[in-house]
Amino acid sequence: HRSRVRSSGVEAARPAMMNSDMDAVEAENQVELEEKTRLINQVLELQHTLEDLSARVDAVKEENLKLKSENQVLGQYIENLMSASSVFQTTDTKSKRK
């Protein structure tokens, strides 16, 4: 019970300037806390954006590999068709004339 009286007495004995300084410090701490919270939220949002972009890059890489493979198959198919067709056969006119 004495501590209560003491602390109340101490608080009452504080000059008004000291209370004002403490209020200013508390307000500054609150501003810093809000800024830290805002920055943490911004970092978390950026992390989620990075995760989304990374997943998208992986999907595009996978699609790119699939398309490259399909292009190779199509290229080989076209090459086979061209070699089988007489239209695309090379003709050596000099050897036929001799």
Side-chain angles (χ1 to χ4, degrees):
H1 197 253
R2 281 185 183 176
S3 63
R4 214 185 242 176
V5 172
R6 283 184 189 161
S7 66
S8 298
V10 170
E11 287 177 15
R14 284 189 190 145
M17 188 65 155
M18 196 169 174
N19 284 336
S20 175
D21 289 344
M22 288 183 64
D23 290 343
V25 168
E26 286 179 21
E28 188 177 319
N29 287 342
Q30 183 65 29
V31 168
E32 286 180 12
L33 180 63
E34 289 171 359
E35 179 67 11
K36 285 180 183 178
T37 301
R38 186 186 68 78
L39 289 173
I40 288 170
N41 288 335
Q42 189 177 11
V43 166
L44 291 173
E45 185 179 333
L46 289 171
Q47 282 178 336
H48 293 302
T49 301
L50 180 60
E51 289 170 358
D52 292 344
L53 288 172
S54 180
R56 188 167 177 202
V57 165
D58 290 342
V60 168
K61 281 182 180 179
E62 191 174 316
E63 181 69 16
N64 187 34
L65 288 173
K66 180 181 168 189
L67 290 173
K68 277 185 180 180
S69 176
E70 289 176 6
N71 282 344
Q72 286 177 338
V73 170
L74 287 173
Q76 187 63 46
Y77 177 73
I78 290 170
E79 219 175 277
N80 291 342
L81 284 177
M82 288 172 60
S83 66
S85 171
S86 61
V87 174
F88 295 105
Q89 296 297 322
T90 59
T91 55
D92 191 359
T93 54
K94 288 183 181 179
S95 63
K96 288 184 179 178
R97 289 184 184 167
K98 287 185 179 180

